Amino acid sequence: MKTNITVDYIDEILKQNMPKTHDKVLSAMEYSLNSGGKRFRPMLLLSTAKAVGNFVNEGAKKLAAALEFVHTYSLIHDDLPCMDNDDFRRGKRSCHMQFGEASAVLAGDALLNLAFETVLAGPLSNKRYQAACVFLFKMSGIHGLVHGQSLDLFTETTTVEQATEVALNKTGTLIRAALVCGALVGGATDEEVSVFDNIACKIGICYQVIDDLLDSEKCEKSFLDVFSRRELREYAEKLSDEIKAACDRLPYDLTYIKEFCDANLSRQK
């Protein structure tokens, strides 16, 4: 049966991997997890696994759920007063505003731990799945997402290289996890995985570029520190062209990546 990878399909996977008992922390977890996200990271992971391996296997589902758990934990912590201090997320009160700071911290911690529990319930005897799990948590930690948050908090963006490093680590790492993990569990060769990783890095930068253009008044550190708006739009278009060219070098139907690039360039939020 053909699998249609939709938001509803991903939501069902998430639901299947959530704890069954309830308390205030779990309510905070569910509140943030179900706050209207696009699910584009797990969608990229599942679509890549399907493009490479012709179907969505159980390992891909576990990794997709874990990836969204990690992403949601990062948003909860990112909104905290000690980080970006945001009262709203996607038009709703942020987790700490709705449930209090203590519950928000615990909800984020619990989601990160749940991500690990989720992948441990997957096909660990599969070496490619093992490698995907390692890569996901590498991208979630001090070599990825945590490093990116540190750069965002404690460094300046006075050069293109500095802005790119922040974008690659804060935004790009979980997109890298999506494409690389999907390619690994789909059965791509090592050389192909490297191409997927390169594509993901460029998607991460391009996504942050558009974020900066759309959020120029709010962003304190962004590509607009080193580019004009016109230059930054041209840079995004150049990156998108490079991503599409890289897709054409792989022996798979990667239309979904090309469509994602077009949607990114035209998005308004």
Side-chain angles (χ1 to χ4, degrees):
M1 185 176 72
K2 184 178 180 181
T3 301
N4 293 318
I5 302 169
T6 63
V7 171
D8 287 343
Y9 177 75
I10 293 168
D11 284 346
E12 183 58 33
I13 294 173
L14 296 176
K15 183 179 177 181
Q16 291 169 3
N17 287 280
M18 285 293 286
K20 306 306 178 190
T21 57
H22 273 272
D23 63 7
K24 185 176 181 179
V25 172
L26 187 57
S27 295
M29 293 163 65
E30 291 177 336
Y31 174 85
S32 294
L33 192 65
N34 300 319
S35 64
K38 303 181 188 74
R39 310 295 196 213
F40 82 78
R41 292 164 186 82
M43 197 168 288
L44 285 174
L45 192 157
L46 294 169
S47 297
T48 301
K50 182 180 177 182
V52 173
N54 296 317
F55 70 101
V56 177
N57 58 43
E58 288 304 311
K61 293 178 185 179
K62 289 293 185 187
L63 286 159
L67 178 59
E68 190 67 3
F69 294 153
V70 170
H71 174 57
T72 304
Y73 122 75
S74 74
L75 299 182
I76 292 173
H77 282 192
D78 194 45
D79 288 340
L80 289 169
C82 61
M83 297 287 186
D84 283 359
N85 194 24
D86 283 323
D87 291 349
F88 293 91
R89 166 75 59 179
R90 298 167 181 156
K92 295 173 60 178
R93 284 161 59 88
S94 52
C95 189
H96 71 275
M97 292 298 292
Q98 186 74 11
F99 293 91
E101 286 185 44
S103 291
V105 170
L106 290 173
D109 292 345
L111 281 163
L112 180 58
N113 198 73
L114 181 60
F116 194 62
E117 293 176 46
T118 299
V119 298
L120 286 179
L124 289 172
S125 61
N126 184 306
K127 297 294 185 183
R128 305 293 275 180
Y129 179 77
Q130 287 181 26
C133 293
V134 170
F135 191 80
L136 169 59
F137 287 101
K138 181 179 180 181
M139 291 296 97
S140 304
I142 195 63
H143 299 292
L145 189 60
V146 173
H147 178 54
Q149 181 70 3
S150 174
L151 291 172
D152 192 46
L153 287 169
F154 306 125
T155 64
E156 298 300 323
T157 51
T158 58
T159 67
V160 174
E161 291 75 19
Q162 288 173 332
T164 299
E165 187 179 9
V166 173
L168 269 176
N169 284 278
K170 188 173 183 186
T171 305
T173 50
L174 295 190
I175 297 175
R176 290 179 66 193
L179 265 63
V180 169
C181 290
L184 282 168
V185 295
T189 67
D190 291 343
E191 293 76 13
E192 290 169 350
V193 170
S194 294
V195 177
F196 274 110
D197 194 12
N198 180 260
I199 290 170
C201 288
K202 290 185 177 182
I203 290 175
I205 296 169
C206 195
Y207 194 85
Q208 187 59 55
V209 163
I210 299 300
D211 264 1
D212 290 353
L213 283 169
L214 293 173
D215 213 12
S216 57
E217 293 183 4
K218 183 179 176 183
C219 286
E220 295 180 4
K221 300 173 186 176
S222 78
F223 279 101
L224 286 170
D225 294 334
V226 291
F227 283 114
S228 69
R229 293 186 66 86
R230 179 182 60 80
E231 290 171 335
L232 199 52
R233 168 57 65 171
E234 291 173 352
Y235 184 43
E237 292 170 353
K238 176 176 178 289
L239 285 170
S240 291
D241 289 341
E242 291 174 357
I243 292 164
K244 292 176 182 179
C247 288
D248 289 337
R249 293 196 292 272
L250 288 165
Y252 307 111
D253 180 4
L254 303 181
T255 302
Y256 66 96
I257 292 179
K258 297 177 183 180
E259 289 176 348
F260 179 85
C261 287
D262 292 338
N264 181 51
L265 287 178
S266 63
R267 68 189 170 97
Q268 299 299 313
K269 61 179 181 178

